[in-house]
Amino acid sequence: MGIRGAYVELMFFLIVTMMLLIFALRERTKRNRILQNEEQIRSDFFSKITHEFRTPVTIILGLSKQLREQKELSGNNSLVYLSAIERQGRNLSDLVNQLLDIANLRTTGDSVEWKTGNIVAFVEMVHETYSIYAKHQEMELQFFSDETEIETDFVPGYLNKILRNLLSNAIKYSEPGSKINLVITRNKKDPKKIILKVIDHGQGIKKEDLPHIYDLFFKSPHSDAQASSGIGLALTKQLVENLNGAIRVESEEGKGSEFTVELPVRRSEKKLYAYWIPEKKNHVPTTDYPKAPTYEELLSYKPNDNDPRTTLLLAEDNKDIAIYTRSIFKEEAFNIIYCYNGEEALRMANEHLPDIVITDVIMPRMNGLELCKEMKNSPLLSHIPIIIISAKNEEQDYIEGLRCGADAYIRKPFQPEELLVRVENILKSRNLLKDKYHRAVIKDENELNDNVNVGFLRHVTDIIYREMKNPDFTTKKLAQELAISVSQLNKKLNATTGFPASTYILQVKLSYAKKILASQHKTIGEVAAECGVYDVNYFSRVFKKQTGVTPTQYKRLPPH
């Protein structure tokens, strides 16, 4: 019995020990998972911060260098460049300040500067400042309040940043001529709460974006406006919550947004705060925010099919990056088409068939990778080289860009010489390929067998062969068969073979004529008729111009 009892005790001890070990292992695994998650969050955070810094740094360094090196720069262009540098310097400053604000919120605790005073007067003061800014942007900022005085404890620094972020966004996403309302009132159901509203009639927010607008670094892929840092609303929410308040938004795309901040009316019984006194002079943002250059000042494009310059399509939603990129290419050598989103870039590419495309990755409506895929999958656009420029600098981003069909992937910040040399080398390579097609078409179109444009050229050549005997077959009819315009057809064939459509048709006909002359016993008139040409003299002239010999002389040549 004693042995049996000892055995039971031993088994019990082993089971308990095993359970404790399993529990300890689970806890350790859980802690490791938490640490890994925290490490991943930190890594993502710093990666996104780095991404935010790259764009302004690229613009500031790049345009500063252009100002220093371009002696022939006009005064107007100098002002545009300086304005862009100033804007991006301010963006960097704002970014740093907002990041510091977020960091301070998590460390300062109760060491914030509370004041007691009339919050209505404070909000009205902020309104006066931003109404001047709104007027500068051709908008009207209106202020409404049910009461002239609501005395409460509040943190002026916090409230100023909350209103600044909400009003700045309202102005940024509204059109000139629109009205924005700033409202302060008591909650009708609970008089111990204050309600602040910022109401605009601007772009509005897509339904799928609403759950994410307070996420740090969130940027809507659907917005047409130049992308913000994605910090302002995240900071605003934290500030509101630190004041024991709540923030909510109602928005409808195309109709505008209404942000509502609810704050408690409070008076501390433990502390007597200093009284808030309105400042006599307040900073007006308009003196620091020069108007962004207009589209005409930025990049002008006048369609001209006979323009001898290289046509470059630039897809970039940040105007300052577009200004910088434009400054790299000499106007006498490059005609630049500017688009601010991927959808517009794809439309313009189909319309104008540029010689080369430069695109950012992150853009509204259609991003750069999607644009790249669409173009490379299009028979009409597949020949156009694409360069991606992006602040996404991870190796996997680089690989993904190349996998989508990009001919080059340049990381920000970049040297202007790097982009210029890449463009020149790619265009040089395309010209060599064009020469190869030129020789191949003259010799024998069947030799075209090693390029992504083969499918398109085969289709074109098949149509020409099918209509070989038709004397009424023209460039216009060929374009109709391909469901594209004559201009698009000419540009596509010029880009891939060096020939416009009419010359390409003639080259295919003459190549077919040479085959007949070398292999069949037919008269020159019969050969010309086989090629859809019924003027023998004309046929003989163009044949000799192309080959250097007449059709009769060609027949007498030894087999080749």
Side-chain angles (χ1 to χ4, degrees):
M1 187 69 179
I3 295 173
R4 186 178 179 185
Y7 176 75
V8 171
E9 287 179 4
L10 178 61
M11 289 299 294
F12 179 76
F13 175 75
L14 289 173
I15 291 170
V16 170
T17 302
M18 190 176 292
M19 290 178 67
L20 288 171
L21 286 171
I22 292 171
F23 177 77
L25 183 62
R26 283 182 177 175
E27 285 297 306
R28 185 176 179 180
T29 304
K30 185 178 179 182
R31 282 198 302 273
N32 287 341
R33 193 179 297 115
I34 291 171
L35 288 172
Q36 287 175 356
N37 288 339
E38 288 177 350
E39 183 61 33
Q40 185 62 48
I41 290 170
R42 277 196 297 271
S43 176
D44 290 345
F45 181 77
F46 285 112
S47 175
K48 288 173 179 176
I49 288 177
T50 304
H51 184 276
E52 292 303 322
F53 278 107
R54 282 197 178 108
T55 293
V57 167
T58 297
I59 294 166
I60 291 169
L61 293 178
L63 287 180
S64 298
K65 186 175 182 181
Q66 298 296 83
L67 283 169
R68 186 174 66 250
E69 294 181 353
Q70 292 189 13
K71 295 178 181 178
E72 72 280 4
L73 203 62
S74 69
N76 186 47
N77 280 346
S78 296
L79 288 174
V80 172
Y81 290 3
L82 287 169
S83 295
I85 291 170
E86 186 180 356
R87 263 194 310 278
Q88 294 305 319
R90 191 179 304 105
N91 286 347
L92 271 178
S93 177
D94 289 344
L95 182 60
V96 170
N97 289 336
Q98 287 181 325
L99 289 170
L100 286 173
D101 286 337
I102 289 176
N104 289 336
L105 283 175
R106 296 172 178 175
T107 57
T108 55
D110 294 329
S111 59
V112 293
E113 191 177 3
W114 284 87
K115 299 276 188 178
T116 299
N118 181 6
I119 196 172
V120 176
F122 182 89
V123 174
E124 188 171 14
M125 181 192 73
V126 175
H127 159 262
E128 288 174 2
T129 299
Y130 275 86
S131 64
I132 300 172
Y133 178 33
K135 188 175 181 181
H136 184 70
Q137 303 299 320
E138 300 177 14
M139 301 173 197
E140 184 180 353
L141 176 59
Q142 300 175 317
F143 175 70
F144 299 96
S145 176
D146 293 339
E147 303 177 46
T148 57
E149 184 174 351
I150 301 176
E151 194 162 289
T152 181
D153 296 338
F154 65 97
V155 182
Y158 281 14
L159 190 56
N160 184 55
K161 287 169 185 172
I162 291 167
L163 291 172
R164 183 187 70 190
N165 282 322
L166 294 179
L167 290 172
S168 295
N169 281 348
I171 293 169
K172 183 191 298 183
Y173 296 108
S174 294
E175 296 295 328
S178 61
K179 292 183 179 180
I180 299 165
N181 297 330
L182 173 59
V183 180
I184 180 170
T185 183
R186 286 184 191 266
N187 189 321
K188 297 290 190 292
K189 296 180 180 178
D190 186 356
K192 292 185 178 180
K193 289 183 179 177
I194 300 168
I195 292 176
L196 289 164
K197 288 181 181 286
V198 174
I199 306 165
D200 68 64
H201 302 89
Q203 295 178 8
I205 304 168
K206 276 188 172 287
K207 191 176 181 180
E208 55 265 38
D209 291 339
L210 283 172
H212 307 290
I213 60 172
Y214 301 114
D215 295 347
L216 193 59
F217 297 114
F218 173 73
K219 296 180 183 181
S220 171
H222 310 103
S223 172
D224 286 345
Q226 292 188 45
S228 64
S229 65
I231 297 175
L233 285 177
L235 173 61
T236 299
K237 189 172 188 290
Q238 284 197 29
L239 290 168
V240 170
E241 289 174 350
N242 275 31
L243 295 175
N244 296 316
I247 184 170
R248 60 181 181 272
V249 61
E250 295 177 10
S251 185
E252 187 175 345
E253 189 182 5
K255 293 190 176 180
S257 304
E258 180 177 312
F259 280 87
T260 301
V261 174
E262 194 171 66
L263 299 172
V265 177
R266 52 166 280 176
R267 291 298 301 270
S268 175
E269 296 178 358
K270 297 179 181 179
K271 293 183 181 179
L272 188 63
Y273 297 118
Y275 201 81
W276 174 77
I277 300 172
E279 297 175 14
K280 291 182 180 179
K281 269 191 173 183
N282 212 14
H283 173 68
V284 180
T286 51
T287 58
D288 284 342
Y289 290 84
K291 253 190 171 180
T294 63
Y295 174 84
E296 288 74 19
E297 292 172 315
L298 177 66
L299 294 165
S300 60
Y301 174 72
K302 295 180 180 178
N304 182 1
D305 290 340
N306 298 318
D307 195 329
R309 296 178 295 172
T310 298
T311 300
L312 188 156
L313 175 62
L314 175 60
E316 171 61 66
D317 69 326
N318 187 305
K319 283 189 176 182
D320 288 340
I321 283 284
I323 291 173
Y324 170 46
T325 306
R326 178 65 186 90
S327 72
I328 296 170
F329 299 96
K330 292 183 178 179
E331 194 171 343
E332 60 268 23
F334 288 88
N335 193 18
I336 293 187
I337 308 171
Y338 171 62
C339 301
Y340 63 89
N341 67 58
E343 276 188 6
E344 178 71 5
L346 185 62
R347 187 186 70 78
M348 294 293 277
N350 275 290
E351 184 176 343
H352 299 290
L353 270 72
D355 298 299
I356 192 165
V357 171
I358 296 176
T359 180
D360 190 10
V361 171
I362 301 174
M363 290 188 298
R365 297 191 182 181
M366 178 188 290
N367 66 43
L369 298 179
E370 292 169 337
L371 172 64
C372 199
K373 287 178 183 175
E374 288 286 340
M375 288 184 62
K376 292 303 179 182
N377 288 331
S378 166
L380 186 63
L381 306 177
S382 60
H383 68 283
I384 301 173
I386 301 171
I387 295 177
I388 290 177
I389 299 177
S390 178
K392 298 183 77 174
N393 282 17
E394 297 296 328
E395 195 65 27
Q396 63 191 38
D397 299 319
Y398 176 78
I399 298 298
E400 187 179 3
L402 296 181
R403 188 175 286 124
C404 289
D407 295 77
Y409 190 104
I410 297 177
R411 300 174 171 101
K412 294 177 185 175
F414 61 90
Q415 292 297 320
E417 292 84 1
E418 179 186 3
L419 178 58
L420 193 58
V421 168
R422 291 277 188 141
V423 168
E424 288 174 348
N425 286 345
I426 288 173
L427 291 175
K428 193 181 296 181
S429 173
R430 293 296 160 133
N431 285 333
L432 290 173
L433 188 62
K434 188 188 295 185
D435 290 340
K436 175 186 174 183
Y437 272 96
H438 188 285
R439 292 191 301 271
V441 171
I442 292 174
K443 186 178 178 183
D444 187 343
E445 69 278 0
N446 290 324
E447 291 186 10
L448 303 176
N449 56 15
D450 64 347
N451 188 270
V452 292
N453 299 298
V454 167
F456 178 81
L457 289 174
R458 289 285 182 211
H459 187 35
V460 170
T461 307
D462 287 345
I463 294 171
I464 297 171
Y465 266 95
R466 190 189 72 206
E467 300 290 337
M468 186 67 74
K469 294 182 181 181
N470 181 2
D472 298 322
F473 183 68
T474 62
T475 299
K476 185 177 180 181
K477 289 186 178 180
L478 177 57
Q480 288 172 344
E481 284 267 359
L482 296 166
I484 58 177
S485 70
V486 172
S487 174
Q488 289 173 320
L489 176 61
N490 280 326
K491 286 181 179 178
K492 173 73 176 181
L493 288 176
N494 250 322
T496 52
T497 69
F499 298 125
S502 58
T503 307
Y504 185 77
I505 292 171
L506 183 60
Q507 294 294 342
V508 173
K509 286 177 178 287
L510 292 177
S511 178
Y512 182 59
K514 286 189 285 184
K515 286 181 182 178
I516 298 174
L517 289 168
S519 61
Q520 300 180 32
H521 299 288
K522 289 190 176 183
T523 66
I524 305 304
E526 289 173 333
V527 174
E530 285 288 325
C531 296
V533 180
Y534 291 92
D535 184 335
V536 178
N537 289 331
Y538 170 75
F539 175 77
S540 297
R541 283 198 308 272
V542 294
F543 190 94
K544 184 177 181 180
K545 186 178 180 180
Q546 177 62 53
T547 63
V549 295
T550 64
T552 303
Q553 291 170 329
Y554 189 86
K555 282 186 72 174
R556 294 171 184 166
L557 291 174
H560 51 282

